[in-house]
Amino acid sequence: GAVVSQHPSRVICKSGTSVKIECRSLDFQATTMFWYRQFPKKSLMLMATSNEGSKATYEQGVEKDKFLINHASLTLSTLTVTSAHPEDSSFYICSARAHGAISYEQYFGPGTRLTVT
Amino acid sequence: AQRVTQPEKLLSVFKGAPVELKCNYSYSGSPELFWYVQYSRQRLQLLLRHISRESIKGFTADLNKGETSFHLKKPFAQEEDSAMYYCALSGPGDKLIFGTGTRLQVFP
């Protein structure tokens, strides 16, 4: 149980285009989903927290108009990188937390490797 | 500011040797600390948390508030322990703050 999927696992896009990454909780309802970004040889950095049915809360320094997050249902959150640039190339990881779960009970997706050319 | 520091990027040991992965934190308050592990080609998963004081796969970690440390230890490393290990702190709003990770390589 408690499986989180991400789609796509890998995407290459051209500079200036937008790309959408999906995060799904497959066997539980996730009231909260988190989006992380991981730079090579660096830590996971929390980008934003999304709660189902409400606006995402972005961390300091993360452009909300650049990284659009939608959490429209209890099993799906999407991250759209708008007008992507090469510096947006990174590994994006989502995690999901079930309703009523304790803070640390986050289940992680496998990640999406974004390459902007 | 809340911060987690893992000073070693890589730790290499031989099978059967003791292992200690270092983690230091900075947090004003009572922290909740965790170790996450990522095996090759697998997703990040929770290994253990300090409040449970449990031993998972032979690993233990003790919270030392005086030294602000939460080092991960195992007396006898196994090859299957080779993975990336991340120390994490639960901060305000239940957010997880991760260290930069330590890659553990266990040689046969």
Side-chain angles (χ1 to χ4, degrees):
Chain A
V3 178
V4 174
S5 70
Q6 279 184 243
H7 179 79
S9 57
R10 237 176 236 280
V11 58
I12 300 173
C13 70
K14 291 188 176 180
S15 188
T17 61
S18 295
V19 61
K20 181 186 286 188
I21 302 169
E22 291 184 349
C23 177
R24 291 182 187 273
S25 57
L26 298 185
D27 49 6
F28 66 100
Q29 294 187 326
T31 49
T32 306
M33 286 186 170
F34 303 87
W35 286 96
Y36 296 86
R37 181 172 177 177
Q38 186 173 33
F39 295 94
K41 299 182 180 178
K42 298 213 169 183
S43 181
L44 283 80
M45 292 180 56
L46 180 65
M47 298 174 66
T49 303
S50 75
N51 291 295
E52 186 267 336
S54 60
K55 288 185 178 180
T57 303
Y58 290 81
E59 294 301 300
Q60 192 173 11
V62 179
E63 298 175 62
K64 61 180 181 182
D65 295 329
K66 172 97 178 145
F67 299 99
L68 299 178
I69 292 171
N70 184 282
H71 191 164
S73 79
L74 285 170
T75 58
L76 173 65
S77 176
T78 59
L79 168 67
T80 302
V81 183
T82 62
S83 187
H85 290 284
E87 56 265 31
D88 299 325
S89 298
S90 195
F91 196 58
Y92 293 88
I93 302 172
C94 74
S95 71
R97 187 168 74 202
H99 175 68
I102 309 171
S103 63
Y104 57 82
E105 288 185 317
Q106 294 182 31
Y107 298 96
F108 287 81
T112 296
R113 169 86 49 205
L114 170 63
T115 303
V116 185
T117 60
Chain B
Q2 297 92 28
R3 192 181 329 152
V4 177
T5 304
Q6 291 180 252
E8 305 142 327
K9 290 185 178 178
L10 174 65
L11 185 62
S12 299
V13 300
F14 285 101
K15 176 183 172 182
V19 166
E20 181 179 68
L21 287 79
K22 292 186 168 48
C23 172
N24 288 90
Y25 66 91
S26 172
Y27 185 69
S28 54
S30 294
E32 283 191 70
L33 284 145
F34 313 92
W35 277 97
Y36 282 80
V37 61
Q38 188 171 26
Y39 299 103
S40 180
R41 292 191 172 79
Q42 294 188 29
R43 65 194 67 199
L44 200 63
Q45 57 185 288
L46 178 66
L47 178 64
L48 55 79
R49 56 195 195 270
H50 90 270
I51 54 173
S52 62
R53 301 184 66 82
E54 56 200 346
S55 173
I56 303 292
K57 299 185 179 181
F59 285 98
T60 59
D62 291 320
L63 178 62
N64 186 323
K65 291 187 178 180
E67 296 181 0
T68 59
S69 68
F70 188 56
H71 304 326
L72 183 68
K73 300 177 184 178
K74 184 168 182 175
F76 308 103
Q78 303 299 314
E79 288 179 70
E80 54 266 29
D81 296 328
S82 296
M84 196 75 184
Y85 290 81
Y86 293 93
C87 184
L89 167 69
S90 179
D94 290 341
K95 301 171 192 174
L96 284 175
I97 300 164
F98 287 89
T100 49
T102 298
R103 179 168 299 284
L104 174 63
Q105 287 184 330
V106 182
F107 295 110

